[in-house]
Amino acid sequence: MWIPIQINENSAEPLYHQIETQLKSLIVSGQLEEGTLLPSIREFASSLNCSVITVRRVYQDLENEGLLRTKQGTGTFVANVAAGERDEYKRAVVQKAVEAAVDTGISVQYSSQELKKLFLDILQIKYKDAGKRGDQE
């Protein structure tokens, strides 16, 4: 099974963290459904051109979080993720990104009004491009 993970080798973020974050997002968003069999550690490492140790760490971390389950001799599967956990994860990811944007605005002395206008402009463009309604409250 091919899993859409994008690795940026020029990023300061550790490789295992890039993989873990993206795999976690795929699971929590429902793009990888409960019961989905993931590639073996060796297969996944090979497809990502990374170490088996890196993928093993990702699988173990996500299993410890309850997002994956491993059956000896069968493989690693996506575990059941409750709707509340999905919502909490989505909120945390978006909040972290918005906080980073606000921190950047503050660091370049962007006023809160300028930042708010910029955010609303981008929100409108992105949701329009995605074919979603951005005016829901």
Side-chain angles (χ1 to χ4, degrees), residues 64-83:
N64 291 339
E65 289 184 42
L67 297 175
L68 297 179
R69 56 186 166 78
T70 301
K71 291 183 181 176
Q72 192 65 34
T74 307
T76 302
F77 299 85
V78 175
N80 180 26
V81 180

Side-chain angles (χ1 to χ4, degrees), residues 21-32 62 65 67 78 81-91 93:
T21 301
Q22 291 177 59
L23 188 55
K24 188 176 194 178
S25 291
L26 290 169
I27 293 168
V28 172
S29 70
Q31 293 176 59
L32 288 177
L62 294 179
E65 289 184 42
L67 297 175
V78 175
V81 180
E85 288 179 73
R86 288 183 197 275
D87 292 343
E88 183 179 320
Y89 177 76
K90 287 178 188 179
R91 185 182 192 295
V93 168

